[in-house]
């Protein structure tokens, strides 16, 4: 998550220094808290939130739960994680629907905060959950706001109520009220009211928003705030809370490169939960906000649960079973490979998905360099093949590869690399399908358990385990050195022997299986 990139890096570095210490002294704790305070302030988190957060972390870090812990450093990380969850709102809260439809959801916020785009995203998400949302165009002030909502509604496949052209024409309070009545008559169970904003907080904006609230009695008032506006987020949130009040917060533009202090400040200062996080420009880029998962992302601990949920939503279970059967029977083809790529695209940005893996914050450069369009290029090459070529890549001779390259706008080298990557990937998948362990490039063979031991015994057969020197003193010294060497374990905790961790070159080699590095 780009918005928290700098904060995540600073906190990760602070905890990395902490992990080298077997026992924490008060000075260690004070130094760690001081670094956390600097990191939060640099991320534009409100000062009152920073003070409260660091005082709680320091108090708990100096308490018995850390001093008596087997691993004090990990305990401090856990404390920071728990306190981050607390300032992000504690538990996740979902939308509350009315007992008698329609459920009325009013959107409020400054101009440019992303209300209109969020309205479309929310409508699309609710459509997918079986609801019948109605978008009401009550922003009649901003130029072309009504037209923008119409375009967004068409993309989302949602119905829109827009009786006025906007651009300063029409009464937004009347439109909002009539929109709710229209929803009742036409069996829409959710009404999403897009209201006007201003470049700044003013009395006219607050009066209009307050009047719309009185006229429609919304079940939810969602305050949409741009996560990139920094310290001013707190003042804006307070002004809207006093002038209109709201039941929940929506963070937009979390995919930006700002410092993200708004997200860590608004929920704590207003006492209102963050319900949604908007993470991109596409209508699918909307996530329920989970404080615990967001805290894990900030601390570079990953967000596997969200990744699994996105995969489950995008992948067809029946299709996945067919692919598994094909892998087991060695019938996996480029046609199947193409279908899997298309399902991966449904999950959204590959960069976002990879960023949810634990520890990926340490590979920020590789993630930044990842080219999302590589999947499109791969798809173009496969689509330029005939059905026979997709099912049997071995028939691809030189002239066929040249034709495919021209048809896809790529080079013959690109076609050759794709076929080679496919063969490597298929080979690895077949090995896994059979219950084996694949050989990952750069990590050497990883055979069955016990295989290396057998080879070791075979290689040692007929050789003496001690020195045969004729000099008794020398023989004793050499045998002593041999015993010491045997006593020192050379394997790692992950069963990879004495081999070093994969280098960046090794990781780049692995990435070639899925796209050009």
């Amino acid at each position: 998550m780009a918005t928290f990139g700098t904060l995540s890096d600073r906190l990760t570095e602070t905890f990395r220094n902490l992990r080298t210490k077997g026992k924490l002294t008060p000075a260690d704790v004070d130094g760690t808290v001081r670094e956390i305070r600097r990191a939060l302030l640099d991320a534009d988190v409100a000062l009152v939130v920073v003070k409260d957060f660091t005082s709680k972390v320091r108090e708990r870090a100096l308490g018995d739960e850390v001093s008596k812990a087997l691993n004090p450093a990990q305990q401090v990380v856990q404390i920071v994680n728990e306190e981050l969850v607390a300032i992000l709102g504690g538990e996740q809260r979902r939308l509350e629907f009315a007992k008698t439809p329609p459920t009325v959801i009013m959107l409020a916020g400054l101009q440019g905060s992303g209300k209109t785009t969020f309205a479309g995203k929310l409508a699309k998400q609710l459509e997918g959950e079986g609801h019948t949302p109605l978008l009401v165009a009550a922003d009649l002030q901003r130029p072309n706001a009504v037209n923008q909502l119409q375009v967004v509604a068409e993309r989302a496949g949602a119905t829109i109520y827009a009786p006025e052209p906007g651009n300063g024409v029409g009464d937004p309070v009347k439109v909002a009220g009539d929109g709710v009545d229209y929803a009742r008559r036409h069996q829409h169970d959710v009404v999403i009211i897009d209201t006007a904003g201003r470049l700044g907080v003013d009395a006219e904006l607050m009066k209009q928003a307050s009047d719309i609230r009185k006229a429609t009695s919304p079940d939810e008032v969602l305050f949409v705030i741009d996560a990139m506006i920094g310290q001013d987020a707190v003042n804006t949130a307070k002004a809207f809370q006093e002038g209109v009040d709201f039941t929940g917060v929506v963070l937009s533009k979390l995919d930006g490169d700002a410092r993200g202090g708004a997200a860590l400040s608004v929920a704590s200062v207003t006492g209102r939960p963050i319900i949604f996080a908007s993470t991109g420009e596409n209508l699918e880029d909307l996530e329920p906000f989970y404080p615990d998962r967001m805290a894990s992302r900030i601390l570079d601990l990953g967000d596997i649960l969200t990744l699994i949920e996105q995969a489950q939503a995008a992948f067809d279970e029946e299709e996945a079973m067919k692919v598994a059967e094909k892998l087991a029977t060695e019938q996996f083809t480029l046609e199947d490979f193409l279908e899997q790529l298309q399902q991966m695209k449904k999950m959204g940005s590959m960069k976002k998905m990879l960023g949810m893996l634990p520890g990926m914050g340490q590979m920020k450069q590789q993630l930044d360099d990842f080219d999302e369009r590589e999947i499109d290029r791969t798809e173009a090459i496969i689509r330029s093949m005939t059905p026979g070529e997709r099912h049997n890549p071995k028939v691809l001779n030189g002239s066929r590869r040249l034709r495919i390259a021209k048809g896809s706008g790529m080079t013959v080298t690109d076609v050759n690399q794709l076929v080679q990557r496919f063969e490597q990937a298929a080979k690895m998948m077949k090995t896994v399908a059979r219950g084996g362990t694949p050989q990952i490039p750069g990590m050497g063979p990883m055979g069955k358990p016990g295989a290396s031991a057998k080879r070791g015994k075979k290689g040692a057969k007929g050789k003496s385990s001690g020195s045969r020197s004729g000099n008794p003193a020398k023989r004793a010294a050499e045998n002593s050195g041999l015993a010491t060497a045997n006593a020192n374990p050379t394997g790692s905790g992950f069963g990879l022997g004495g081999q070093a961790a994969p280098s960046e070159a090794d990781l780049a080699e692995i990435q070639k299986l899925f796209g050009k590095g």
Side-chain angles (χ1 to χ4, degrees):
M1 188 151 295
T3 303
F4 297 112
T6 304
L7 175 61
S8 181
D9 290 344
R10 293 279 298 272
L11 292 178
T12 303
E13 184 63 31
T14 299
F15 297 137
R16 186 179 296 118
N17 297 333
L18 204 63
R19 290 188 183 102
T20 61
K21 302 178 183 295
K23 185 178 180 181
L24 298 184
T25 64
D28 293 330
V29 172
D30 287 340
T32 300
V33 170
R34 187 163 53 249
E35 289 300 317
I36 293 173
R37 182 186 298 112
R38 289 173 179 169
L40 293 173
L41 290 174
D42 285 346
D44 266 345
V45 180
L47 181 60
V48 62
V49 177
V50 174
K51 285 183 175 179
D52 185 53
F53 178 81
T54 51
S55 65
K56 288 180 179 176
V57 170
R58 186 179 186 279
E59 181 181 350
R60 291 184 60 185
L62 291 174
D64 289 343
E65 61 181 312
V66 171
S67 62
K68 294 180 180 179
L70 293 176
N71 192 322
Q74 287 184 1
Q75 194 68 28
V76 171
V77 175
Q78 179 64 25
I79 289 170
V80 173
N81 182 62
E82 290 173 359
E83 293 300 330
L84 266 180
V85 172
I87 67 171
L88 287 170
E91 296 182 357
Q92 187 233 3
R93 180 167 94 68
R94 296 181 177 274
L95 285 175
E96 293 182 357
F97 294 93
K99 293 180 180 179
T100 305
T103 298
V104 180
I105 301 173
M106 173 183 165
L107 307 183
L110 293 179
Q111 185 172 310
S113 61
K115 291 192 302 299
T116 303
T117 304
F118 169 70
K121 291 181 177 182
L122 181 58
K124 185 174 180 64
Q125 188 175 100
L126 291 172
E127 285 260 4
E129 295 173 359
H131 295 281
T132 54
L134 173 71
L135 292 171
V136 177
D139 182 357
L140 305 180
Q141 177 182 333
R142 182 168 58 87
N144 294 319
V146 175
N147 291 339
Q148 183 189 354
L149 188 63
Q150 288 171 334
V151 172
V152 169
E154 185 178 352
R155 287 174 56 203
T159 306
I160 182 172
Y161 179 75
E164 299 288 355
N167 298 322
V169 177
D171 180 2
V173 179
K174 184 177 186 304
V175 168
D178 291 347
V180 176
D181 293 335
Y182 179 91
R184 287 196 184 98
R185 293 195 307 270
H186 292 81
Q187 305 299 310
H188 291 280
D189 67 341
V190 179
V191 180
I192 302 171
I193 304 173
D194 181 28
T195 66
R198 296 288 192 280
L199 294 177
V201 176
D202 60 26
E204 186 181 354
L205 166 66
M206 291 305 171
K207 184 179 186 309
Q208 185 184 107
S210 180
D211 289 344
I212 291 176
R213 176 163 190 165
K214 290 175 184 175
T216 59
S217 301
D219 301 281
E220 294 274 16
V221 179
L222 301 183
F223 174 55
V224 183
I225 188 166
D226 185 343
M228 300 172 68
I229 67 175
Q231 286 282 351
D232 198 42
V234 174
N235 297 330
T236 305
K238 282 182 176 179
F240 270 90
Q241 189 173 25
E242 293 169 2
V244 186
D245 200 7
F246 49 86
T247 58
V249 178
V250 177
L251 291 175
S252 67
K253 305 179 187 178
L254 273 179
D255 56 325
D257 56 2
R259 290 175 287 186
L264 297 178
S265 304
V266 172
S268 181
V269 170
T270 64
R272 298 291 186 268
I274 302 172
I275 300 180
F276 290 104
S278 180
T279 57
E281 296 180 0
N282 297 322
L283 292 182
E284 295 79 13
D285 296 332
L286 181 67
E287 302 174 5
F289 187 86
Y290 295 88
D292 54 340
R293 299 185 191 182
M294 184 60 69
S296 292
R297 289 195 209 182
I298 293 172
L299 296 177
D300 197 23
L301 301 176
D303 186 0
I304 298 298
L305 286 175
T306 299
L307 188 59
I308 291 171
E309 287 173 0
Q310 290 184 358
Q312 287 175 335
F315 278 83
D316 187 310
E317 189 173 346
E318 185 177 342
E319 192 65 34
M321 291 296 292
K322 290 180 182 177
V323 170
E325 290 175 9
K326 289 183 177 182
L327 286 172
T329 56
E330 300 189 13
Q331 294 177 353
F332 189 72
T333 66
L334 278 166
E335 188 77 51
D336 302 315
F337 186 55
L338 176 62
E339 291 178 5
Q340 294 303 300
L341 285 178
Q342 290 170 334
Q343 293 209 44
M344 285 175 63
K345 286 173 68 175
K346 292 180 186 176
M347 291 178 63
S349 166
M350 284 293 293
K351 282 186 182 180
K352 282 202 308 184
M353 288 190 290
L354 291 171
M356 292 179 191
L357 297 174
M360 289 304 289
Q362 301 171 36
M363 298 180 64
K364 184 183 291 186
Q365 189 60 49
Q366 289 92 324
L367 280 177
D368 290 342
D369 293 341
F370 183 85
D371 190 353
E372 298 271 5
R373 294 171 297 176
E374 183 58 33
I375 294 179
D376 296 327
R377 298 187 188 106
T378 300
E379 190 174 338
I381 292 174
I382 298 176
R383 287 189 180 280
S384 296
M385 298 178 183
T386 64
E389 290 167 344
R390 295 180 197 177
H391 285 86
N392 185 18
K394 293 181 179 179
V395 303
L396 293 175
N397 55 25
S399 61
R400 287 174 182 259
R401 296 186 185 216
L402 179 61
R403 188 202 80 242
I404 293 167
K406 288 181 178 179
S408 60
M410 307 298 287
T411 66
V412 175
T413 303
D414 294 325
V415 177
N416 293 339
Q417 288 178 345
L418 169 62
V419 174
Q420 184 182 11
R421 290 198 303 270
F422 168 73
E423 290 173 349
Q424 289 176 330
K427 187 177 180 181
M428 288 179 65
M429 291 177 188
K430 289 170 186 174
T431 303
V432 173
R434 292 170 179 167
T437 307
Q439 179 174 334
I440 300 175
M443 295 184 68
M446 296 171 65
K448 296 179 180 179
S452 59
K454 291 178 182 177
R455 285 197 300 271
K457 289 178 182 178
K458 185 176 180 180
K461 188 175 181 180
K463 291 184 180 180
S464 171
S465 59
S467 171
R468 293 192 174 188
S469 173
N471 186 325
K474 186 177 179 182
R475 184 168 64 245
E478 289 177 352
N479 288 342
S480 174
L482 182 63
T484 303
N486 289 337
N488 291 331
T490 56
S492 72
F494 299 98
L496 299 179
Q499 202 166 351
S503 64
E504 287 193 11
D506 297 333
L507 293 170
E509 186 69 23
I510 295 173
Q511 289 177 345
K512 287 181 181 178
L513 294 175
F514 306 98
K516 288 186 292 188

